[in-house]
Amino acid sequence: MTLTATKFTPEVMLSAPRRSPGVPNPSGTLALYTVSTYSFKDHEKTTNIRVLDINTGTATTPVDEAGASNPVWLNDDEILYVRSGDKGSSTLVVRNVTASASSSFYEAGTIQGPIGDLKVKALADGTVALACSASATPDGNLFNPETEVKPHSTARVYTSLFVRHWDTWNSEKRSSIFYGVLDKKDGKYALRDGRLTNALAGTRLSSPVPPFGGTGDFDIGPEGLVFVAKDPDLDPAIYTKTDLYFIPLKTFAESSPPPPKIVKTPGLEGYSNSPVFSHCGRKVAFTRMRSNQYESDKPRLLLVRDIGNPDETEEFFATPDGDGAWDSRPESIAWGHDDTQLYVTAEHRARTLIFTLPSTPSRATSLPTPLPTPDGSVADFRLYAASSPSSSSKTDHLFVTTTSLIDNSCYSLTHPATATSTVISSASKQGRSFGLSRAQVDSITVPGPDYDVHALVVRPSTWVSDAATGSTTGSRRATKKYPLCMLVHGGPQGAWQDSWSTRWNPAVFAEQGYVVVCPNPTGSTGYGMALEDGIRGQWGGRPYEDLERCFDWVVANMPEVDGERAVALGASYGGFMINWIQGHPLGRKFKALVCHDGVFSTLNQWATEELFFPIHDFEGTLYENREGYEKWDPARFINEWATPQLIIHSELDYRLPVTEGLAAFNVLQAKKIPSKLLVFPDENHWVLKHENSLVWHREVLGWINKYSGIDDEQKLAEETEALKV
């Protein structure tokens, strides 16, 4: 599956095989994952299911068929996956991945509708509980869009908020969790009665939570299901409140599940996430935020000691002031094999790491410490227990999936007992297949009077050979200047991380011939809540000042950077900042700007879908605090706009409607400022389709290369090479 390239281009990045996180089997001998590849020659994507031998690092492809997805382990040798069929049906297929005979797979049942997000749990009676997500009709039945009777009119009528979300107009259909049980007879699994039961029918609850909810929103235990869902009594456009619920199930064959029991968390009323059963099945760990109108509040790590008594929860690292002693944002959770330890991911200075702590809050007296993992950020991790050669007792092993700024997928093993990590497989040979190396990646810390700003730096691969090495320190010094490319991240509560992206990949820009600087200013996550929360009421204030300071520091302290040929790009909040920069002094320091799905006017923020977002960040509603919106409105400063700018927007972006891009472009054109508009009718806030993404990259790179002078450099190099011939 390795793709080899001498230069990392958009085509190389978009064509490279994309691996899902790896999932080990119970004994930790094999890892299951999927691979998707897009061919620009054939204009199609192929996907297959693969198995990695953890000991040797070699992979096989047991499933290579169209429509196969959602593979999960049933045991050490057998997997269960979904095969999409005719008229929207889904067939459950079992395959022995260690056998090569055609008889090694069979169908375990067919569901008359699309399903996904499979999870399974072996029960004490030898059966296997199964849960999955699917769309349900208002009466609780499985929804199949292929067999739906189409109405004669396309009109939609609404009488309440939240009419659309992300890229979809909301309807009466709901995301729901369905469950069933697999029996094993004569060596084969079969879905009992060939049916699944909607666990949430008649509850007004919806889970996984759209638009990004998945397997992390629910879990299976030996005594039932836990899941998170929005509070049905609060308006989802105004409030973020999602609660944790428990549905007791003994056999997973119950045709009428008992009503969900809510897990109470006094004082915490925001998002709930990542519920995970302990191995004993009685305890549940999960996270919850405090504020019910702040989507980026700090998640608190919580424990339900006995799921049968969901009224009692305990918070890890709780403090009397309610802020919590651990100034990090816990995300994914896993229990140690004997339920005495928890493993939790959290961001830390442009990386996502795995932290370990005791599984009981009273024993968690010291702040969590990170475990060793390869360069980059943890994208996923799974635990299995194995015995060492010298002992029969089992210890925890973590199968970790990471990515980095140069590597799109790396599988490794982390051993908590010895605090060691071993790389098993890298899809890009740790960047070498792309012509990239770790020597290109760096970071800087820009000092400030009250706080410092951290930024990632990616230099061209040619810099490694172009730069001379000092004889005493071994450090490199510049022998050539490269134009600066500054990337502004979205969110604003987000961060540039040492991780892979196919949408905003700093290495793509670096390989054009830029020194790419990715600052994490006020509002960024992973640097403590004070910096993150500092964005409130400061959209064009502190972050803009941080970027100004970063620009000046880079030009003054990085001799390889040519600040006279600088360009800046940003998306979402980063797009807001590009428009803000355009109207302020920093805008005159850039040769060209690129705004992707950005904010033209903050007074239009109420055209978005999740209104709790502007209510929080602008300190109130538009009608209560209009001056707070007006203060940071880029449209107030359009008289100052002067720098050439590319505007990109998509028509399915309901978070920031396409009119924001049109308005900015119209101003630029009316003012006779060099400008261009790129529109995607079939994309949302992100450009995800391969062919569209290729056009995106060509337009973006063409724009900045024109104004930074890189186009002229490339033409001169080509002409010089032609003269040599």
Side-chain angles (χ1 to χ4, degrees):
M1 65 173 287
T2 301
L3 179 149
T4 302
T6 56
K7 182 177 180 180
F8 188 57
T9 64
E11 291 89 342
V12 170
M13 177 186 68
L14 297 170
S15 303
R18 303 183 187 184
R19 302 196 304 190
S20 70
V23 180
N25 63 0
S27 65
T29 57
L30 302 172
L32 181 65
Y33 62 102
T34 62
V35 176
S36 65
T37 306
Y38 189 83
S39 168
F40 284 103
K41 178 182 178 181
D42 300 325
H43 305 289
E44 63 180 16
K45 183 174 76 171
T46 57
T47 302
N48 52 54
I49 298 172
R50 300 195 179 186
V51 172
L52 178 76
D53 186 312
I54 292 177
N55 292 321
T56 65
T58 58
T60 58
T61 307
V63 181
D64 187 9
E65 58 178 289
S69 65
N70 290 273
V72 293
W73 289 106
L74 287 171
N75 49 54
D76 265 349
D77 302 314
E78 293 178 299
I79 64 171
L80 177 74
Y81 64 93
V82 177
R83 178 198 295 147
S84 300
D86 295 335
K87 297 182 179 180
S89 65
S90 299
T91 298
L92 297 171
V93 181
V94 178
R95 180 180 286 270
N96 187 317
V97 297
T98 62
S100 57
S102 59
S103 60
S104 62
F105 72 96
Y106 57 90
E107 297 179 359
T110 297
I111 310 301
Q112 297 306 316
I115 62 174
D117 299 321
L118 260 63
K119 277 195 171 183
V120 294
K121 175 71 176 181
L123 302 179
D125 62 0
T127 62
V128 173
L130 174 136
C132 63
S133 67
S135 185
T137 61
D139 58 8
N141 292 323
L142 182 70
F143 173 64
N144 187 342
E146 296 293 324
T147 58
E148 179 188 28
V149 177
K150 301 296 187 292
H152 295 294
S153 169
T154 58
R156 301 183 181 96
V157 178
Y158 298 92
T159 57
S160 62
L161 284 173
F162 216 52
V163 300
R164 60 185 191 177
H165 196 198
W166 192 249
D167 58 6
T168 304
W169 287 85
N170 287 329
S171 70
E172 293 181 327
K173 313 295 187 304
R174 285 182 178 161
S175 174
S176 199
I177 300 170
F178 287 75
Y179 67 85
V181 62
L182 296 170
D183 296 307
K184 195 170 189 179
K185 185 177 181 180
D186 299 328
K188 291 187 175 182
Y189 291 98
L191 180 65
R192 186 179 298 180
D193 300 327
R195 67 174 179 85
L196 296 174
T197 299
N198 185 351
L200 309 186
T203 65
R204 300 169 58 214
L205 300 175
S206 178
S207 186
V209 180
F212 305 120
T215 55
D217 280 3
F218 66 95
D219 198 25
I220 308 178
E223 298 186 29
L225 291 168
V226 287
F227 63 94
V228 297
K230 287 266 193 177
D231 187 330
D233 294 322
L234 293 180
D235 197 310
I238 301 293
Y239 296 98
T240 60
K241 186 171 183 273
T242 58
D243 294 299
L244 178 65
Y245 296 87
F246 169 59
I247 297 179
L249 298 169
K250 294 298 183 183
T251 65
F252 284 81
E254 292 90 340
S255 58
S256 299
K261 299 179 180 180
I262 194 169
V263 175
K264 296 182 179 180
T265 59
L268 303 177
E269 298 292 329
Y271 278 129
S272 299
N273 281 300
S274 307
V276 182
F277 274 108
S278 62
H279 296 286
C280 73
R282 299 300 300 174
K283 302 177 182 180
V284 175
F286 67 108
T287 68
R288 184 149 203 190
M289 297 179 184
R290 179 166 55 183
S291 171
N292 64 6
Q293 284 191 308
Y294 184 19
E295 66 175 358
S296 299
D297 197 8
K298 182 174 77 170
R300 318 304 174 92
L301 186 61
L302 298 172
L303 174 71
V304 184
R305 279 186 174 272
D306 184 352
I307 195 61
N309 183 18
D311 290 347
E312 296 184 9
T313 56
E314 297 179 72
E315 181 180 343
F316 289 82
F317 310 112
T319 55
D321 61 6
D323 289 339
W326 191 24
D327 197 21
S328 292
R329 301 170 51 86
E331 297 174 352
S332 302
I333 306 168
W335 290 80
H337 78 281
D338 59 1
D339 288 342
T340 63
Q341 292 289 115
L342 289 180
Y343 301 95
V344 182
T345 60
E347 288 181 76
H348 179 70
R349 292 186 63 81
R351 296 182 68 194
T352 295
L353 304 174
I354 303 173
F355 295 80
T356 180
L357 66 154
S359 62
T360 304
S362 62
R363 293 181 55 235
T365 56
S366 300
L367 294 182
T369 55
L371 293 170
T373 51
D375 290 330
S377 295
V378 174
D380 186 87
F381 75 101
R382 304 299 174 99
L383 182 140
Y384 67 91
S387 302
S388 64
S390 59
S391 172
S392 59
S393 61
K394 291 187 175 182
T395 58
D396 293 340
H397 298 260
L398 304 181
F399 188 94
V400 182
T401 301
T402 55
T403 72
S404 75
L405 287 165
I406 60 159
D407 192 358
N408 63 344
S409 173
C410 179
Y411 297 152
S412 63
L413 288 183
T414 290
H415 310 282
T418 58
T420 57
S421 179
T422 306
V423 172
I424 299 171
S425 168
S426 167
S428 64
K429 297 181 180 179
Q430 297 180 304
R432 293 190 301 275
S433 297
F434 299 143
L436 305 176
S437 73
R438 196 67 196 172
Q440 297 175 242
V441 179
D442 198 359
S443 68
I444 58 174
T445 300
V446 179
D450 301 312
Y451 55 91
D452 299 337
V453 172
H454 183 245
L456 294 171
V457 176
V458 182
R459 298 180 176 88
S461 55
T462 54
W463 175 83
V464 177
S465 57
D466 287 346
T469 303
S471 58
T472 55
T473 64
S475 62
R476 296 184 181 275
R477 63 178 185 271
T479 59
K480 176 183 176 181
K481 281 185 174 290
Y482 301 88
L484 168 65
C485 175
M486 180 176 283
L487 301 182
V488 186
H489 69 66
Q493 295 90 351
W496 292 115
Q497 284 204 328
D498 188 355
S499 60
W500 189 261
S501 172
T502 54
R503 292 185 293 113
W504 286 88
N505 190 309
V508 164
F509 297 93
E511 291 304 270
Q512 293 292 306
Y514 295 94
V515 170
V516 183
V517 176
C518 306
N520 284 328
T522 296
S524 299
T525 54
Y527 300 88
M529 292 306 297
L531 188 74
E532 180 180 340
D533 292 343
I535 188 68
R536 191 180 194 202
Q538 282 287 322
W539 263 41
R542 284 178 53 182
Y544 173 78
E545 294 165 3
D546 295 341
L547 295 174
E548 272 192 314
R549 189 153 37 98
C550 184
F551 181 96
D552 292 341
W553 189 95
V554 166
V555 172
N557 293 276
M558 297 176 62
E560 72 273 27
V561 170
D562 186 348
E564 297 297 320
R565 299 163 58 198
V567 296
L569 308 86
S572 194
Y573 171 80
F576 158 88
M577 184 52 71
I578 293 298
N579 289 337
W580 185 262
I581 287 171
Q582 175 72 278
H584 288 79
L586 184 56
R588 309 293 77 80
K589 296 182 180 182
F590 293 108
K591 291 296 185 182
L593 301 171
V594 176
C595 171
H596 173 105
D597 287 6
V599 176
F600 170 70
S601 174
T602 50
L603 295 180
N604 298 333
Q605 282 288 283
W606 274 57
T608 192
E609 5 88 291
E610 294 179 341
L611 294 175
F612 51 75
F613 176 75
I615 289 173
H616 175 272
D617 276 21
F618 293 97
E619 301 180 294
T621 64
L622 182 60
Y623 45 89
E624 293 169 330
N625 185 29
R626 184 183 181 90
E627 60 273 18
Y629 290 75
E630 290 177 338
K631 183 177 182 180
W632 307 118
D633 187 358
R636 285 178 56 210
F637 304 94
I638 54 177
N639 285 344
E640 305 301 322
W641 287 23
T643 302
Q645 183 166 332
L646 169 64
I647 300 290
I648 307 169
H649 227 102
S650 299
E651 293 187 30
L652 296 182
D653 184 356
Y654 299 158
R655 181 141 299 188
L656 287 169
V658 67
T659 48
E660 294 293 281
L662 290 171
F665 177 68
N666 289 346
V667 167
L668 291 162
Q669 286 285 300
K671 289 174 66 67
K672 307 300 182 184
I673 300 169
S675 50
K676 182 184 284 191
L677 174 67
L678 173 62
V679 176
F680 294 100
D682 55 347
E683 297 283 5
N684 54 37
H685 202 52
W686 303 330
V687 175
L688 301 176
K689 297 178 180 179
H690 290 78
E691 302 284 353
N692 286 344
S693 183
L694 184 58
V695 172
W696 186 98
H697 280 88
R698 287 175 175 170
E699 290 291 339
V700 168
L701 296 177
W703 184 259
I704 62 175
N705 289 353
K706 173 183 177 180
Y707 289 98
S708 67
I710 281 183
D711 271 355
D712 294 335
E713 288 182 345
Q714 291 175 345
K715 290 177 182 177
L716 179 60
E718 291 171 0
E719 291 171 358
T720 302
E721 192 64 29
L723 289 174
K724 290 180 181 179
V725 176

